[in-house]
Amino acid sequence: MSEQFKVDSSLESEAFISNGTDTNASARLAVNADKRKASKELALTAARAADDRKAADIVLLQVGEVSYLADYFAIATGFSRVQVRAIAQSIEQKVEMELQQLPLRVEGKAEGSWVLLDYGDVIIHILLPQEREFYNLEAFWGHAEKIDFSAS
């Protein structure tokens, strides 16, 4: 049985190589475009939720071209541990309500100095000013494209 599988696999590979075309390329491109659009919408939704809780210096970075970690980073500042937690909670609620998504992981909520919400394609950082200044994520990811977001 494994011999048969090897033969079939090699025939398919040879057909693909000799043909030189990928019949699913346009389908994959469409899926990737939809994925990028959904990721950007999640990042913008998170930014709006952070703005609703008076987060400062909200920055959206498109890191997908320079990193395999995510497509977008959202970075925001809260001025107290309570505000950092409130911003994170607001983002979680708004993303769940509008996009029906929950974070894959949440880190730092107990401490409240840097909360990270990991949605897979979008990673959200909410930091106290001293944490944000120390880690300087914008400079570290400075080669990423900055996405326009206007806080209200």
Side-chain angles (χ1 to χ4, degrees):
M1 186 161 116
S2 62
E3 294 278 332
Q4 180 66 35
F5 178 73
K6 288 179 187 174
V7 171
D8 289 346
S9 294
S10 66
L11 290 175
E12 288 176 18
S13 296
E14 287 174 17
F16 177 75
I17 291 168
S18 66
N19 187 345
T21 61
D22 183 354
T23 58
N24 293 322
S26 60
R28 275 200 308 272
L29 287 174
V31 167
N32 286 340
D34 288 345
K35 181 180 163 271
R36 281 192 303 273
K37 185 178 178 185
S39 297
K40 185 174 184 177
E41 185 56 35
L42 196 154
L44 289 167
T45 300
R48 287 189 295 270
D51 185 48
D52 289 347
R53 290 287 176 254
K54 307 299 183 212
D57 302 322
I58 300 168
V59 174
L60 299 177
L61 299 174
Q62 183 178 6
V63 297
E65 299 296 322
V66 296
S67 173
Y68 64 90
L69 293 175
D71 291 336
Y72 291 90
F73 279 179
I75 306 167
T77 299
F79 294 102
S80 70
R81 293 176 190 273
V82 171
Q83 186 186 19
V84 167
R85 288 186 202 105
I87 293 166
Q89 183 177 11
S90 176
I91 292 169
E92 285 181 86
Q93 289 172 346
K94 191 170 191 106
V95 169
E96 182 178 7
M97 187 170 49
E98 291 184 12
L99 304 175
Q100 293 73 48
Q101 283 188 263
L102 296 172
L104 302 172
R105 282 172 290 288
V106 177
E107 297 291 334
K109 235 182 195 177
E111 298 84 12
S113 60
W114 180 354
V115 175
L116 184 140
L117 303 172
D118 181 357
Y119 284 91
D121 293 335
V122 179
I123 299 175
I124 302 156
H125 304 269
I126 307 119
L127 303 96
L128 288 173
Q130 59 270 28
E131 301 289 329
R132 186 159 178 179
E133 183 180 340
F134 181 80
Y135 289 104
N136 200 5
L137 295 174
E138 292 93 329
F140 187 78
W141 294 100
H143 49 290
E145 181 183 348
K146 192 172 181 180
I147 304 301
D148 288 331
F149 174 76
S150 299
S152 62

